[in-house]
Amino acid sequence: ELKVEQNPLFLSMQEGKNYTIYCNYSTTSDRLYWYRQDPGKSLESLFVLLSNGAVKQEGRLMASLDTKARLSTLHITAAVHDLSATYFCAFWKYSGAGSYQLTFGKGTKLSVIP
Amino acid sequence: DGGITQSPKYLFRKEGQNVTLSCEQNLNHDAMYWYRQDPGQGLRLIYYSQIVNDFQKGDIAEGYSVSREKKESFPLTVTSAQKNPTAFYLCASSLGLAGDGETQYFGPGTRLLVL
C-alpha cells in the first residue's frame, strides 16, 4: 500500500520565521508534487519534483526531493500571512499497463500569525 | 480567459438518484482528472483520461462513471451505487499526464450533498 506521511499536520508560526514541512513516502517514486489549498477553495499546483536532488523555489517557498530517503521537504522562508493555507504533498506511481496510482498526504495546515 | 470550469457549485442528491458533474476546459489539455476530497483529507483519484475516448480508473472508481467524448469535456456521474457521495469534487487538467511530470490545473470544485 502506498503511504504518504506529512508532518506536522498543523503549524502555527510567526511572521518572519522559517520552517520546514516534511513529506515521507513509502515506496520508490520520482514524481513528487506539492499543492496549496486555501480554505474552502480548490487546489493550486506549486512544484513538481522529478528526480533525486531536485530543488525548486518560488518566492518564499522551496521544495526538495531525496528519493533515496523517500523524503521531500517544503521550506518556508520569512513567513508572511499570505502563506496561510493547507499544503499537500502527493506522488504518482506508475503501476503498469498505462495506469498510475496517486497518493496524497493529509496536508499541513499552516497559520502565519503577525 | 483560459481555464477550467465546473458546474454546479453545489449539488444536492436524493437517495437512489444519479447526478452528473460538469467539467470543461479551454486550455487544449489532453489529460483530465476527477478527484474527491473529504473533510480534512487529501485528494483521492476517481478517474483520469489521457486522451479523447479513453479513460482509466483511479483508486476509488466504484460508484462513479465518466465519459470523454470531446477533448474539452470530462463529465462525472455519481451513481446510486456510491453510498457515501457527500464530498468536494475537483476536476483538473494537464497538457500531458501528471504521472509523467506535467503540472495540473484545477477547477473551482463542486460540493455534493446528500438529502
Side-chain angles (χ1 to χ4, degrees), chain A residues 36-63:
Chain A
R36 168 183 172 143
Q37 186 174 36
D38 292 308
K41 302 291 186 183
S42 185
L43 264 71
E44 174 190 358
S45 296
L46 293 175
F47 301 109
V48 179
L49 302 170
L50 299 179
S51 60
N52 186 41
V55 177
K56 290 199 175 177
Q57 183 164 4
E58 180 77 31
R60 300 174 188 274
L61 300 177
M62 183 174 71

Side-chain angles (χ1 to χ4, degrees), chain A residues 31 33 35 37 42 45 100 102, chain B residues 37 48 59 98-100 104 107:
Chain A
R31 298 282 187 267
Y33 297 73
Y35 303 89
Q37 186 174 36
S42 185
S45 296
Y100 285 88
L102 171 66
Chain B
Q37 187 178 32
Y48 64 97
D59 303 311
D100 294 332
Q104 292 180 291

Side-chain angles (χ1 to χ4, degrees), chain A residues 31 33 35 37 39-45 48 50 88 92 97-107, chain B residues 33 35 37 40-43 45 48 50 56 59 88 90 97-104 106-108 111:
Chain A
R31 298 282 187 267
Y33 297 73
Y35 303 89
Q37 186 174 36
K41 302 291 186 183
S42 185
L43 264 71
E44 174 190 358
S45 296
V48 179
L50 299 179
F88 293 96
W92 289 78
S99 295
Y100 285 88
Q101 286 180 281
L102 171 66
T103 306
F104 263 75
K106 292 191 173 182
Chain B
Y33 315 79
Y35 297 94
Q37 187 178 32
Q41 302 294 320
L43 272 62
L45 182 64
Y48 64 97
Q50 297 185 59
Q56 299 271 2
D59 303 311
F88 187 40
L90 286 164
L97 200 58
D100 294 332
E102 294 284 344
T103 297
Q104 292 180 291
F106 289 83
R111 292 193 185 276

Side-chain angles (χ1 to χ4, degrees), chain B residues 77-99:
Chain B
T77 296
V78 184
T79 74
S80 57
Q82 173 48 244
K83 298 305 180 188
N84 184 23
T86 296
F88 187 40
Y89 290 85
L90 286 164
C91 178
S93 72
S94 57
L95 194 59
L97 200 58

